[in-house]
Amino acid sequence: QVQLVESGGGSVQAGESLRLSCTISGPYSSYWLTWFRQAPGKEREGVASIAPDRITLRHVDSLEDRFTISLDNSKNTLFLQMNHLKPDDTAMYYCAAGWPTTLWTPDGYDHWGQGTQVTVSS
C-alpha cells in the first residue's frame, strides 16, 4: 500500500517561493508521481510529474518557468519547488501516484495524499 503525506504549504506574499514535500511509503517505484492542485470551485489539475524511469520530467506549459518537480529516492520524498508565486497559485496541492490515463487528470492515480494548502496574497 502506497501512502503519501504532503507538507510545506503556507501563506506567502506574491513573488515569494515555497517548496512542497511529499513523503512516500510503500512500493512506489513503478508509478508516475504527480503534483496536482485544486482551487476553490475549480477542477483538480496536474502541475508537474515524474515518470517511473525517474529521468523524464513533465511540467504544465504555463507553469514550467516557475515550478520544478524533483525526487530524492534516498529519502522517498517528492518535491515541488514553486518560485515567483502569484495569487492565482492559491490552491490545495496534492501529490499522487499511479498509472494515469491522461497525465494531467486525476483518472488512473490510485494513491493520493491529504493535500497541503498554499495561499498567495497580493
Side-chain angles (χ1 to χ4, degrees), residues 20-93:
L20 305 184
S21 299
C22 173
T23 302
I24 309 168
S25 59
Y28 68 91
S29 62
S30 65
Y31 291 138
W32 284 82
L33 301 175
T34 302
W35 284 100
F36 284 82
R37 68 182 184 181
Q38 187 167 20
K42 295 188 177 181
E43 294 186 350
R44 193 168 297 191
E45 61 178 3
V47 173
S49 185
I50 183 166
D53 63 11
R54 303 307 180 225
I55 298 173
T56 304
L57 306 181
R58 295 281 188 264
H59 297 83
V60 170
D61 289 345
S62 59
L63 298 174
E64 65 178 347
D65 61 337
R66 298 189 296 119
F67 288 15
T68 304
I69 191 171
S70 62
L71 176 67
D72 186 335
N73 266 318
S74 67
K75 297 181 180 179
N76 295 327
T77 303
L78 184 72
F79 298 101
L80 183 67
Q81 178 67 42
M82 306 186 295
N83 299 325
H84 306 295
L85 284 162
K86 304 176 180 179
D88 284 349
D89 296 319
T90 296
M92 185 72 79
Y93 284 73

